[in-house]
Amino acid sequence: MTTQKADITEDELDEMLNVVNTTYGYDFSDYSRASMQRRVSRFMDTAGYKTAVDLTFQLKKDRSVFDYFLQRITVNVTEMFRDPAFYKVIRQEVLPVLASYPIIKIWHAGCSSGEEVFSMAILLSEAGLLKRSRIYATDVNPYNVEKAKKGILPLNVMKEYNENYIQSGGQNDFASYYTSLYNNAIIRKDLRENILFSQHNLVTDQAFNEFQIILCRNVMIYFNRRLQNRVIHLFNDSLSTFGYLALGIKESLLFTDLQNKFEVVSKDEKVFRRIK
């Protein structure tokens, strides 16, 4: 016997997102519509809602339903040293330049559960730059932020992360960067000391510092063009002159009206530098 997949119409999705925005202040209206429909349908299946009307009613009525909805509807796919070639570019071409700054300020926007942030901390440590670095790691999902603060990862994925680390140019013992405890890997405390995890919404929140590098990888692929352009403006306003911007492999500056303010550092790994 097959279970019928939950479906949601355009109008039902608009109504649901409007309720979420007016009730809780989260505006998903400029997220990719097709992606949002798929994720809401998947959530309805998982949570047992037969109709979008039922879910919308519960979202408005029950904060705990919304908290679970937000936890599942935002994209939380991440891993340490994901796309090793990207980290090799950071090692070889970006960190030697950042070493000239007395204080290095870094923003990981859309940090999810922290794996890429911890990867950057390891790179900085190996380059002797961690103690004078300040890493601001933000995410729209408070569940992700609280999880990332703990620095606890599943032990069974560390072998894969070790392979990524080696391919990125790492030459140390990767296991020395965490402590094993039962089925968990706990990222070393000294690697986490200069990281500030906090909630930040790229849709509505403003610039809050001036950074030498901003990393926002594989987040904007879930936004429509208007929101993508708005976020690039936010990053431009948050970067120091000659600061770096790192995007995901499928993301680009070509659509934005600010593309002439950046030069390409790595075309393949989508690393750019602000020149104006």
Side-chain angles (χ1 to χ4, degrees), residues 109 117 127 158 168 184 198 201 204 208-209 250 258:
V117 185
M158 301 311 282
S168 77
N184 295 319
S198 62
N201 191 335
T204 57
F208 61 93
N209 213 320
K250 295 182 180 179
L258 295 180

Side-chain angles (χ1 to χ4, degrees), residues 10-55:
E10 288 272 351
D11 288 343
E12 288 172 335
L13 183 61
D14 286 339
E15 175 62 22
M16 185 181 298
L17 297 184
N18 182 60
V19 165
V20 166
N21 190 14
T22 56
T23 308
Y24 302 104
Y26 285 81
D27 185 0
F28 292 108
S29 60
D30 281 330
Y31 278 57
S32 167
R33 183 50 57 104
S35 175
M36 184 58 69
Q37 280 187 291
R38 286 195 300 271
R39 280 181 277 163
V40 171
S41 294
R42 193 180 306 123
F43 175 83
M44 290 170 61
D45 284 336
T46 302
Y49 290 96
K50 294 183 179 180
T51 70
V53 173
D54 289 341
L55 175 55

Side-chain angles (χ1 to χ4, degrees), residues 18-240:
N18 182 60
V19 165
V20 166
N21 190 14
T22 56
T23 308
Y24 302 104
Y26 285 81
D27 185 0
F28 292 108
S29 60
D30 281 330
Y31 278 57
S32 167
R33 183 50 57 104
S35 175
M36 184 58 69
Q37 280 187 291
R38 286 195 300 271
R39 280 181 277 163
V40 171
S41 294
R42 193 180 306 123
F43 175 83
M44 290 170 61
D45 284 336
T46 302
Y49 290 96
K50 294 183 179 180
T51 70
V53 173
D54 289 341
L55 175 55
T56 300
F57 178 78
Q58 290 299 324
L59 284 169
K60 189 172 184 177
K61 176 184 176 183
D62 191 338
R63 174 73 196 220
S64 66
V65 173
F66 169 73
D67 289 342
Y68 183 51
F69 176 82
L70 180 64
Q71 177 184 332
R72 300 301 296 265
I73 212 70
T74 51
V75 178
N76 305 314
V77 179
T78 186
E79 60 187 57
M80 290 189 73
F81 293 96
R82 176 168 56 167
D83 305 322
F86 165 79
Y87 286 94
K88 189 170 287 188
V89 170
I90 300 298
R91 282 183 190 276
Q92 297 175 352
E93 301 189 41
V94 176
L95 291 190
V97 178
L98 295 186
S100 64
Y101 291 89
I103 299 294
I104 304 167
K105 288 181 287 187
I106 300 166
W107 180 14
H108 277 266
C111 68
S112 189
S113 46
E115 281 85 337
E116 294 190 58
V117 185
F118 303 139
S119 302
M120 175 61 76
I122 289 172
L123 291 190
L124 292 165
S125 177
E126 292 182 354
L129 301 176
L130 182 59
K131 288 186 178 180
R132 55 189 171 101
S133 298
R134 303 293 180 267
I135 304 175
Y136 299 81
T138 66
D139 199 273
V140 68
N141 188 335
Y143 173 83
N144 284 343
V145 173
E146 291 306 312
K147 184 178 179 181
K149 283 180 181 178
K150 297 175 182 177
I152 300 174
L153 307 177
L155 187 61
N156 61 5
V157 299
M158 301 311 282
K159 183 177 180 181
E160 178 185 348
Y161 294 171
N162 178 58
E163 292 299 318
N164 289 351
Y165 167 75
I166 293 171
Q167 291 177 32
S168 77
Q171 297 181 352
N172 293 344
D173 178 7
F174 183 66
S176 69
Y177 292 121
Y178 62 89
T179 301
S180 300
L181 183 64
Y182 301 109
N183 294 321
N184 295 319
I186 305 172
I187 301 298
R188 240 170 44 197
K189 184 178 179 180
D190 63 293
L191 293 172
R192 296 183 279 124
E193 285 180 342
N194 289 353
I195 304 174
L196 176 64
F197 288 101
S198 62
Q199 193 175 359
H200 183 277
N201 191 335
L202 291 172
V203 179
T204 57
D205 294 340
Q206 303 302 313
F208 61 93
N209 213 320
E210 184 177 78
F211 299 95
Q212 279 71 57
I213 179 170
I214 297 174
L215 303 96
C216 184
R217 306 182 63 235
N218 306 302
V219 174
M220 293 196 300
I221 53 174
Y222 302 104
F223 299 165
N224 65 20
R225 286 292 176 89
R226 181 171 61 181
L227 181 53
Q228 288 175 8
N229 197 57
R230 190 257 182 209
V231 171
I232 293 297
H233 274 264
L234 172 64
F235 292 156
N236 181 70
D237 293 341
S238 304
L239 274 174
S240 62

